[in-house]
Amino acid sequence: MSSFTLSMTLAFTLLAVAASYWQRLALERDILIGTVRAAVQLLAVGYILYFVFHAPSLIFTFLMVAVMVGVATQNASRRGKGLPGVQWRVLAALTLTEVVTIGLMLLFRMIQPTPQYVISLSGMIVGNAMVVAGLLLNRLQGEVDARRDELRVLLSLGATPRQAIQDQLRAAVRACMIPAVDSLKTVGLVQLPGMMTGQILAGASPIVAVRYQILIMFSLTSAAALCSIILGLLTYRLYFNQAYQLAR
Amino acid sequence: MSLQATTQRAWSPLFQLRGVSRRRPDASGEPVAILDHIHLDLAGGLITTLVGPSGAGKSSLLHLLNRLDEPDEGSILYQGRDLRQWDVVELRRSVGLVLQAPVMLPGTVEQNVGAGPRLRGQALARERAVELLRLVGLAPALLERKAADLSGGEQQRVSLARTLANEPRVLLLDEVTASLDPGSARDVEELIVGLTSRLSLTAVWITHNLAQAERCGDHLVLMAHGRVAEEAVTAGFFAGPATEEGRRFLESGKEVHP
Ligand SMILES: Nc1ncnc2c1ncn2[C@@H]1O[C@H](COP(=O)(O)OP(=O)(O)OP(=O)(O)O)[C@@H](O)[C@H]1O
Ligand SMILES: [Mg+2]
């Protein structure tokens, strides 16, 4: 794609801005900022990756992954506003998810230990885990708010926080898994996932692209499970105080 | 006036509240005292009824006694020991609470009644569940029903049975007969009075029904505006309240339940 054609993609953004203006969505500013950010971030990353791939360096790969995890932590933690120390727990959950998932891929030689593989797959895993982490925090808060009385009944019957919140925790983790499970069922029939589309457009054979897509789908499902369960176990206690009372 | 001096039976306090306050934000977010420096002794082995107008702070007080909520100020002793020194799980098992609005846990009536024992890894025997249902006046056939489908009055009785399954030493009862017909209310009353005397339990019992307070209570505590307005031996209170507030409350009650 030439630079000229690339700049023509701005037409899509202008279309969105026009729609926002027309329907008074008041999103023009956000769309413009988002457009500039997306363009700058992606172009910069393109150049950085070009550099990293041509001079493979362990430290640089590690740094790239660390930045991903850091930004994802920042973003997902916002869904847990008011929970003290939530960002450390999100950081731990995302790090563990990334290490276990990529670790297994490397251990079983599903991917080669090169920056190309590690960074691209980490991006998918961490990005997905970020969405899952935000969803979990959001959902768990919703469950606790909606089912406060149930929690109080269980606590007064002598439940520990873990026992009291078990149902809500399970409901929140399930909610986080549903998107992954649903896309497992419909992939290929409803949507051709982004990575596969990208590979095919870049000239790879669909048969090879599909193999990687299988790896990605499966690993994203397990990453969703891992991340939501770890984060749930790390955060449920924040809803209670030392005296096993509901905090706030 | 010392309550002890006016009682025929000598009694020792099971709960001692010392300058207990609890503040909560009101509609505008300003903290207001919903319990205001309460000093109160609650007798062991007796039934104390807690009466007073709506919003007086009765439920708020009850929720402090099993440490479901925490006072912002003051201390509460249970059996002479500060509540904060008790293992909170043990405390809540032995001081059982039945909430004002019944809340059913997901699942069947049997799962609800067995919830307490299940929390400590024990299954409630089927016969025991049947016995508990009978005690509170429900048909054993209800055990299989989804708890959420029961009527308000049935749910109220299930919550009582659920608390009793923990075999508490103290019963904190928040208007447990409020949504029952007069006949069933009398049955539940008799159950509570019978249980407390047979097992020498202690009950702290909130009621809006003054006739019920007179029938069932040994002691009576009248609350108003987050304070204790009067505490008395039940018979003494109904013979003639010692305070102006008590007199007014009794008068207004007679208008409602002549
Ligand atoms: N969590 C809370 N936040 C804010 N205000 C509260 C809270 N709990 C209770 N209050 C207020 O404290 C006051 C006392 O409430 P409480 O439920 O103890 O009254 P009550 O005597 O049990 O009344 P009723 O007879 O209607 O049940 C009320 O004005 C209530 O609005
Ligand atoms: Mg109340």
Side-chain angles (χ1 to χ4, degrees):
Chain A
M1 211 192 296
S2 72
S3 297
F4 175 73
T5 356
L6 181 63
S7 61
M8 287 324 282
T9 57
L10 279 175
F12 291 118
T13 324
L14 291 177
L15 214 63
V17 169
S20 166
Y21 182 75
W22 180 42
Q23 288 291 315
R24 304 188 191 186
L25 304 179
L27 285 174
E28 296 93 315
R29 216 179 100 93
D30 284 331
I31 295 174
L32 288 175
I33 292 175
T35 305
V36 174
R37 276 192 62 162
V40 172
Q41 284 164 8
L42 284 175
L43 289 174
V45 155
Y47 283 110
I48 293 174
L49 289 180
Y50 181 84
F51 167 71
V52 176
F53 292 170
H54 283 83
S57 135
L58 202 63
I59 294 176
F60 232 90
T61 309
F62 177 82
L63 273 179
M64 282 288 296
V65 173
V67 168
M68 284 173 183
V69 172
V71 174
T73 300
Q74 271 284 311
N75 230 310
S77 302
R78 274 194 235 134
R79 301 265 166 254
K81 247 187 236 146
L83 291 176
V86 75
Q87 57 274 38
W88 297 111
R89 291 167 168 85
V90 173
L91 180 65
L94 293 181
T95 307
L96 253 153
T97 305
E98 157 74 6
V99 167
V100 170
T101 316
I102 292 287
L104 281 176
M105 289 182 186
L106 290 172
L107 186 70
F108 293 114
R109 297 175 196 283
M110 293 178 235
I111 59 171
Q112 282 151 37
T114 60
Q116 274 97 324
Y117 283 96
V118 172
I119 292 176
S120 324
L121 285 166
S122 293
M124 292 208 173
I125 289 160
V126 174
N128 202 64
M130 170 184 84
V131 173
V132 164
L135 194 59
L136 181 101
L137 292 174
N138 199 13
R139 187 61 192 249
L140 193 56
Q141 181 72 57
E143 288 279 331
V144 168
D145 289 342
R147 296 165 71 184
R148 231 180 142 72
D149 292 339
E150 250 175 68
L151 288 173
R152 280 169 71 86
V153 164
L154 282 164
L155 289 173
S156 22
L157 288 172
T160 59
R162 176 72 189 276
Q163 289 175 319
I165 208 170
Q166 188 173 301
D167 260 16
Q168 282 98 323
L169 197 53
R170 196 177 299 133
V173 169
R174 272 183 66 93
C176 291
M177 301 276 313
I178 285 172
V181 174
D182 278 355
S183 57
L184 271 186
K185 287 191 251 173
T186 58
V187 67
L189 300 178
V190 179
Q191 89 275 39
L192 293 182
M195 159 133 180
M196 206 169 121
T197 314
Q199 272 186 307
I200 293 171
L201 289 181
S205 141
I207 296 169
V208 176
V210 158
R211 290 183 169 225
Y212 278 103
Q213 195 54 48
I214 289 175
L215 167 69
I216 285 163
M217 300 286 300
F218 290 2
S219 64
L220 288 189
T221 309
S222 87
L226 216 64
C227 181
S228 55
I229 291 171
I230 295 172
L231 187 59
L233 290 178
L234 288 177
T235 49
Y236 79 87
R237 196 64 180 77
L238 300 176
Y239 291 97
F240 304 85
N241 64 19
Q242 286 299 316
Y244 293 4
Q245 295 157 342
L246 279 171
R248 281 164 299 124
Chain B
M1 181 197 64
S2 157
L3 204 57
Q4 189 98 46
T6 58
T7 323
Q8 296 87 349
R9 275 185 278 171
W11 58 275
S12 55
L14 188 65
F15 289 98
Q16 296 162 277
L17 286 78
R18 296 288 169 259
V20 169
S21 299
R22 182 165 163 82
R23 282 178 286 274
R24 294 273 87 192
D26 64 3
S28 63
E30 282 298 304
V32 291
I34 57 177
L35 295 173
D36 194 4
H37 295 95
I38 292 194
H39 284 272
L40 181 65
D41 285 354
L42 295 167
L46 297 181
I47 295 178
T48 301
T49 56
L50 213 54
V51 300
S54 193
K58 304 180 297 294
S59 299
S60 308
L61 178 74
L62 209 63
H63 297 169
L64 299 182
L65 299 180
N66 74 342
R67 228 188 154 196
L68 188 57
D69 288 325
E70 197 76 13
D72 291 306
E73 214 179 302
S75 59
I76 301 175
L77 308 187
Y78 173 56
Q79 296 180 16
R81 244 171 87 202
D82 196 303
L83 274 193
R84 285 166 288 203
Q85 289 167 7
W86 290 85
D87 176 83
V88 70
V89 170
E90 288 303 316
L91 177 79
R92 287 177 187 160
R93 275 176 199 153
S94 82
V95 181
L97 170 67
V98 183
L99 291 169
Q100 182 164 5
V103 177
M104 293 293 99
L105 302 170
T108 63
V109 169
E110 184 163 23
Q111 285 167 332
N112 266 271
V113 175
R118 199 165 51 245
L119 288 171
R120 39 175 201 277
Q122 295 164 2
L124 186 72
R126 181 73 188 209
E127 308 84 75
R128 179 77 181 127
V130 168
E131 188 190 334
L132 283 165
L133 275 207
R134 283 231 173 84
L135 262 183
V136 297
L138 291 175
L142 284 187
L143 278 182
E144 316 292 342
R145 288 269 297 279
K146 225 178 116 197
D149 293 344
L150 300 188
S151 76
E154 288 167 336
Q155 293 191 354
Q156 208 161 38
R157 286 187 270 190
V158 169
S159 11
L160 179 59
R162 187 172 60 194
T163 298
L164 291 176
N166 260 350
E167 300 181 357
R169 300 298 306 155
V170 179
L171 290 172
L172 307 176
L173 307 168
D174 202 343
E175 297 192 38
V176 281
T177 61
S179 35
L180 303 184
D181 63 272
S184 316
R186 285 297 271 267
D187 292 344
V188 169
E189 259 177 55
E190 273 163 32
L191 161 73
I192 294 165
V193 172
L195 274 179
T196 41
S197 76
R198 188 154 48 81
L199 306 172
S200 53
L201 307 183
T202 302
V204 185
W205 185 350
I206 296 177
T207 177
H208 276 296
N209 182 342
L210 285 181
Q212 183 173 67
E214 187 169 16
R215 273 195 302 274
C216 309
D218 299 298
H219 289 177
L220 179 141
V221 173
L222 170 65
M223 290 189 66
H225 308 298
R227 296 171 192 250
V228 173
E230 177 164 350
E231 44 175 321
V233 172
T234 301
F237 180 81
F238 285 96
T243 64
E244 183 51 39
E245 245 159 332
R247 269 189 291 279
R248 259 187 283 133
F249 185 71
L250 195 54
E251 280 311 309
S252 67
K254 279 188 184 136
E255 284 160 24
V256 184
H257 303 275

